[in-house]
Amino acid sequence: METKEQWSRIKELFGAALERDPRQRAQFLREACRDDESLRQEIESLLEAHDSSSELSQHPWSLRAQESASPHNIGPYHLIEKIGEGGMGQVWLAEQTSPIHRRVALKLIRWGVYDDAVIHRFQAERQSLAVMDHPSIAKVFDAGATPEGQPYFVMEYVPGVPITDYCDQKKLKIRDRLELFRRVCEGVQHAHQKAIIHRDLKPANILVAEIDGKPVPRIIDFGLAKALDSTSAEDSFLTRAGSFVGTPGYMSPEQCDPAGQDIDTRTDVYSLGVVLYVLLTGVPPFDSEAWKKKPFHEMMRVLREQDPPRPSTKLGIDPATSIARAESRSSEPKQLSNLLRGDLDWITMKAVERDRSRRYRTPSELADDINHYLRHEPVTARPASLTYRARKYVRRHRVGVGIAAMLAVLLVGFAVAQTMQLQKTIRERDRADRIAEFMTGIFKISDPNEKPGGNATARELLDKAAKEINTGLAKDPELKTSMMHVIGRAYMYQGLYARAQSMFEGGIGAANAAGAQKDRETLLTAHDLAWSLLQQGHIAEAEKVERELVATQTRTFGPDDRDTLASKSELAFTLCQENKCAEGVRLNAEVLEKQKRILGAEAHATLITMDNQAIMLAESGQPAEAEQLQLQALQLQLKVDGEKDLSTVHAMLNLGDFQRDQHHDEDAEKSLRHAIEVAQRVLGPNQPETASAKYDLATVLARNDRKDEAFSLLRDSVDHGLAPRIALDMKNDPLLVPLHGDPRFSALVAHVQERTGAQAPD
């Protein structure tokens, strides 16, 4: 009788020989066994027995099919086609004919390979499935034996695909993959609670089918399952030393340990970890192709002694395939690597830990940590530093971050200096958030999207805040920058662009003094500064600000960042105002294409860029293309924000202008009247957009000799905030030429001059 060491040696060499071409085995055994002739003969005998049993079981049904041309039936089950084949049996797609009609999966042992161990394992699988009842585990319906004595059982047919293939085909994002994988963990946990270990978890045994349009995972093939409380000799035979069970690449180190270490629930946790690794990265932890070229014992040694690379690191090993793997996860390589780096690295590496004492003890612990990640909570796999926990808590509870952070400091016992700094940071941020929220709430009455019209009280509050901000917040430059941006935008909403410019410049100056010139909010302030300059006709100054802004944002956030793209679009618009429309149209088209791909066609920033492109097309002599694009933008704007949004009003005005410029006066009148109605209802009569719509409609009416209403609309525009524009355009606007001979035109000019002269400086 062989000793344990002798049996381990036989098993190791038998596995290594089995991996080689039959023609190379003799040479391999001569070299490996050297002078031990009895060892070589023993292994050759095992190989001969293995080859003969394999031949006997290659096509168990094909011979019987030749005996009878009629379809094969087993009881009430009509076999349709073979859908799977494993080491001990076959799985057939079958049609149950009574007492109900349904499709099922029928599994039975191969012909000619009956032995006590195989039959016992088959019965163990049948019993394993019968005691389990979970949505993520295929159900058992029936069991029995054929007239010839072949045991079989009937289970739920899952018309699905392996979980990794399903996720790649649907290009599921990482969060969606984790949600699906979490349910698989729950199914395996249920099996463990029924005292069953699967021992062969891999993507091919985790199928995903869509039910009512939603993915549902199903765990199948408990053919290698092991009962946790097995005590009989037969149960021990299934897992004794020398009997490797499982799939290389997904087997745990203890499964292929020559010492025959006992298998427990952590074996399934390891296999789940490998499946998670593939779901995240698209490749297994170890190169399975390279393993095929190595001896079996060398492959097992690597598994037992080497740690795989972290998932975030694995992505960069093969740049040629990283783009495709990222795309199948609706991401980009750098973005995906950043997403995996951190919590997901820790979770995955703990699941595939070689030392099972440091692994998750149960699938439910693994599922719990994934839930922690999805809810932005600290994960147990990661060292629980105060900084890490505080960052997670801030993300979930921004309002209560002060109390939570201080409690975390006390619990962890962080250094006193760091504790004081953290408390100071949290206190200042909370104070800034409260003041910003309060001040924003006050100035919302000046935002035409919030309250129609505005009033004198709002303007007085705005002017008062603008005067006091330099003294009231002189010692708090960060808060001062934020408040000056808020006030500047409030002025801009009212069309007071010079006052807005002053606020924006002050905010940028405060930010520069505080060393925050590259902060996102500071750069957004610069963006609004350029717009206010453009609205005042300071086009060259606006272009200079925008070019500097784009350069800074590109260096800081990257060329495809949301804010960088928005600034490039505004720069393109400014170039067109400088009679550089060809360059502007080309630049803006590039921005629009990227925004559609990165942000989506219905994103607010994308719609603004579409508006800009339509205006530039019109100014570059392409009015038909401009009208078509603007109509698309307006339809999307109405779908996303409805009529009450300021951007929608702008889109309506632009469409009316493009129709007017093409002499589509009937369509233009209809569009502009609708724009006036919406602007007056949403913004009120005193806003620039309302007055602008009336002015544009007056030009259409003047061209069609409807002078009475045209003069009425023009005078109304003058009285409600458009006097500076009309004073500039009245004598030069060719659309108003039909009104020049009318005495009322001279009176209107005088009225404009009177109001312009009386207007206080902006």
Side-chain angles (χ1 to χ4, degrees):
M1 178 179 296
E2 294 92 350
T3 65
K4 182 175 181 180
E5 291 76 13
Q6 288 172 328
W7 173 248
S8 296
R9 178 62 174 164
I10 292 172
K11 177 190 65 179
E12 180 178 328
L13 292 177
F14 171 73
L18 198 61
E19 292 292 314
R20 284 170 165 74
D21 186 282
R23 294 171 294 184
Q24 300 174 348
R25 290 175 182 172
Q27 178 65 27
F28 167 74
L29 290 176
R30 281 196 297 272
E31 295 176 356
C33 297
R34 294 189 176 90
D35 299 329
D36 195 338
E37 184 67 19
S38 61
L39 175 62
R40 183 179 63 80
Q41 291 176 353
E42 176 72 16
I43 297 173
E44 286 178 344
S45 175
L46 289 173
L47 289 170
E48 182 179 356
H50 174 272
D51 292 340
S52 62
S53 65
S54 297
E55 293 171 0
L56 189 64
S57 60
Q58 279 180 352
H59 38 74
W61 282 108
S62 60
L63 295 177
R64 298 188 62 82
Q66 295 172 6
E67 297 172 7
S68 173
S70 60
H72 196 84
N73 295 280
I74 298 179
Y77 304 103
H78 169 62
L79 303 186
I80 300 175
E81 64 174 326
K82 185 169 64 177
I83 57 176
E85 187 169 8
M88 70 174 181
Q90 299 175 330
V91 181
W92 286 77
L93 172 63
E95 187 81 27
Q96 182 177 356
T97 57
S98 66
I100 59 175
H101 290 272
R102 61 182 170 187
R103 286 199 164 190
V104 296
L106 188 146
K107 186 168 185 176
L108 68 166
I109 293 181
R110 297 173 183 268
W111 282 97
V113 291
Y114 297 122
D115 65 22
D116 291 343
V118 174
I119 293 176
H120 183 79
R121 182 173 295 166
F122 187 88
Q123 292 172 338
E125 178 182 8
R126 187 170 66 188
Q127 184 60 31
S128 299
L129 287 170
V131 300
M132 292 184 286
D133 183 15
H134 191 276
S136 296
I137 298 177
K139 295 179 176 58
V140 171
F141 297 141
D142 192 10
T146 68
E148 295 82 2
Q150 278 187 287
Y152 71 86
F153 64 87
V154 182
M155 56 187 171
E156 175 186 5
Y157 171 59
V158 183
V161 297
I163 185 171
T164 49
D165 293 346
Y166 177 86
C167 292
D168 288 347
Q169 290 169 9
K170 298 294 183 178
K171 294 188 176 181
L172 295 188
K173 296 181 179 179
I174 292 299
R175 291 187 67 86
D176 297 326
R177 291 169 182 249
L178 292 175
E179 289 284 1
L180 197 59
F181 177 76
R182 179 181 57 79
R183 293 158 65 185
V184 175
C185 293
E186 293 171 353
V188 178
Q189 180 65 32
H190 175 79
H192 290 179
Q193 290 171 343
K194 297 296 183 179
I196 301 298
I197 307 173
H198 192 289
R199 298 199 299 172
D200 194 22
L201 290 168
K202 56 186 177 181
N205 286 340
I206 306 172
L207 304 182
V208 179
E210 289 193 350
I211 300 177
D212 295 331
K214 296 181 180 179
V216 177
R218 288 283 197 278
I219 305 170
I220 64 170
D221 200 355
F222 278 77
L224 300 181
K226 173 183 182 294
L228 291 174
D229 57 354
S230 299
T231 55
S232 68
E234 290 85 354
D235 289 331
S236 299
F237 177 82
L238 297 181
T239 55
R240 68 172 182 247
S243 297
F244 287 110
V245 292
T247 300
Y250 292 89
M251 294 167 58
S252 65
E254 59 266 25
Q255 278 180 278
C256 55
D257 190 341
Q261 191 174 189
D262 289 338
I263 304 300
D264 61 21
T265 57
R266 292 169 292 184
T267 287
D268 280 351
V269 170
Y270 182 92
S271 299
L272 285 171
V274 178
V275 173
L276 175 61
Y277 198 108
V278 178
L279 284 172
L280 296 178
T281 67
V283 290
F286 295 105
D287 186 354
S288 57
E289 293 299 322
W291 281 16
K292 295 178 181 179
K293 303 174 183 178
K294 296 181 180 180
F296 187 74
H297 67 279
E298 177 63 18
M299 178 179 71
M300 297 298 100
R301 185 194 64 77
V302 170
L303 184 61
R304 295 192 302 269
E305 298 179 6
Q306 292 185 13
D307 291 321
R310 292 178 176 271
S312 60
T313 304
K314 187 78 170 180
L315 283 172
I317 293 178
D318 186 3
T321 61
S322 62
I323 296 178
R325 295 200 298 270
E327 286 180 350
S328 67
R329 288 152 182 78
S330 297
S331 183
E332 296 182 353
K334 184 177 181 180
Q335 180 185 12
L336 180 59
S337 180
N338 290 337
L339 182 62
L340 300 185
R341 185 177 297 113
D343 285 352
L344 292 179
D345 272 344
W346 286 100
I347 291 172
T348 309
M349 296 306 291
K350 182 172 182 178
V352 297
E353 172 64 51
R354 287 185 292 116
D355 182 354
R356 62 178 177 174
S357 66
R358 298 170 60 186
R359 207 179 295 160
Y360 291 105
R361 292 175 299 175
T362 63
S364 64
E365 287 189 0
L366 173 56
D368 287 343
D369 241 3
I370 290 174
N371 275 331
H372 293 324
Y373 171 81
L374 293 173
R375 294 197 297 261
H376 307 299
E377 297 172 350
V379 300
T380 61
R382 185 167 184 162
S385 69
L386 174 63
T387 304
Y388 169 70
R389 289 185 175 274
R391 185 168 63 251
K392 287 290 184 181
Y393 193 85
V394 167
R395 190 165 184 177
R396 297 196 317 276
H397 306 290
R398 297 183 187 277
V399 176
V401 65
I403 297 175
M406 287 187 288
L407 178 60
V409 170
L410 294 175
L411 291 174
V412 179
F414 215 61
V416 175
Q418 290 174 308
T419 302
M420 294 176 62
Q421 182 62 36
L422 181 61
Q423 290 174 332
K424 179 181 178 181
T425 301
I426 294 172
R427 185 170 59 252
E428 290 178 349
R429 183 178 56 204
D430 285 351
R431 177 171 52 82
D433 288 344
R434 288 195 297 270
I435 295 175
E437 182 179 357
F438 171 74
M439 295 294 287
T440 303
I442 292 177
F443 293 131
K444 277 185 177 179
I445 58 176
S446 297
D447 182 345
N449 273 325
E450 299 293 336
K451 181 177 179 179
N455 52 53
T457 302
R459 174 66 182 274
E460 289 172 359
L461 288 173
L462 202 57
D463 291 343
K464 181 180 179 181
K467 290 179 181 178
E468 293 182 355
I469 195 167
N470 283 319
T471 55
L473 298 176
K475 296 181 180 181
D476 197 339
E478 181 181 353
L479 183 58
K480 179 180 177 181
T481 299
S482 179
M483 288 300 95
M484 294 188 88
H485 190 196
V486 171
I487 295 171
R489 289 184 68 85
Y491 275 129
M492 194 165 64
Y493 285 138
Q494 293 190 337
L496 304 174
Y497 298 112
R499 290 180 182 270
Q501 175 189 343
S502 177
M503 287 292 103
F504 295 147
E505 290 174 340
I508 293 172
N512 291 341
Q517 56 267 39
K518 293 184 179 180
D519 285 359
R520 198 172 282 273
E521 183 171 359
T522 305
L523 297 175
L524 288 176
T525 304
H527 180 277
D528 288 339
L529 170 62
W531 179 252
S532 67
L533 289 169
L534 184 64
Q535 294 305 303
Q536 297 174 79
H538 306 322
I539 302 176
E541 295 178 40
E543 181 188 353
K544 180 181 178 182
V545 172
E546 286 165 350
R547 287 195 182 277
E548 293 176 353
L549 174 61
V550 168
T552 302
Q553 288 174 322
T554 300
R555 290 193 302 269
T556 307
F557 308 125
D560 294 340
D561 178 76
R562 176 191 301 266
D563 292 342
T564 307
L565 293 174
S567 297
K568 286 182 178 179
S569 178
E570 293 301 334
L571 172 60
F573 187 84
T574 301
L575 291 173
C576 199
Q577 303 305 304
E578 291 186 294
N579 297 321
K580 302 175 184 176
C581 271
E583 180 182 354
V585 167
R586 184 170 57 255
L587 173 60
N588 204 59
E590 295 174 0
V591 172
L592 183 58
E593 182 63 28
K594 284 187 176 182
Q595 287 178 325
K596 287 180 178 179
R597 176 169 50 84
I598 297 172
L599 307 178
E602 297 181 358
H604 185 66
T606 306
L607 295 177
I608 291 176
T609 303
M610 288 181 71
D611 280 337
N612 287 348
Q613 188 73 349
I615 294 172
M616 288 188 286
L617 286 171
E619 293 186 5
S620 63
Q622 304 176 66
E625 291 83 352
E627 179 182 353
Q628 182 180 5
L629 182 61
Q630 188 64 62
L631 185 58
Q632 294 175 8
L634 177 57
Q635 290 171 344
L636 289 172
Q637 191 72 51
L638 288 169
K639 176 183 176 182
V640 174
D641 296 318
E643 284 189 343
K644 295 184 178 181
D645 190 81
L646 184 60
S647 297
T648 305
V649 176
H650 285 156
M652 291 178 178
L653 284 170
N654 291 342
L655 179 61
D657 286 348
F658 301 152
Q659 291 168 336
R660 178 195 62 186
D661 293 343
Q662 294 183 86
H663 288 262
H664 298 163
D665 288 351
E666 184 176 345
D667 292 337
E669 180 178 351
K670 181 179 179 181
S671 297
L672 291 170
R673 286 193 185 280
H674 186 205
I676 291 171
E677 186 274 324
V678 173
Q680 289 192 140
R681 173 161 44 87
V682 175
L683 310 177
N686 296 322
Q687 296 301 321
E689 288 78 10
T690 306
S692 179
K694 292 179 179 179
Y695 179 88
D696 292 343
L697 178 57
T699 62
V700 174
L701 297 175
R703 185 161 61 196
N704 289 274
D705 202 29
R706 295 160 66 182
K707 296 181 180 180
D708 291 344
E709 189 178 359
F711 276 115
S712 175
L713 288 169
L714 288 171
R715 189 174 184 87
D716 200 28
S717 298
V718 173
D719 292 337
H720 292 91
L722 207 65
R725 172 182 168 179
I726 294 179
L728 177 66
D729 290 348
M730 279 188 61
K731 293 183 179 181
N732 301 320
D733 193 342
L735 295 174
L736 294 180
V737 170
L739 303 179
H740 285 187
D742 194 302
R744 288 174 291 183
F745 186 75
S746 300
L748 182 62
V749 171
H751 182 62
V752 169
Q753 292 173 344
E754 177 184 350
R755 288 192 59 84
T756 304
Q759 187 177 26
D762 197 16

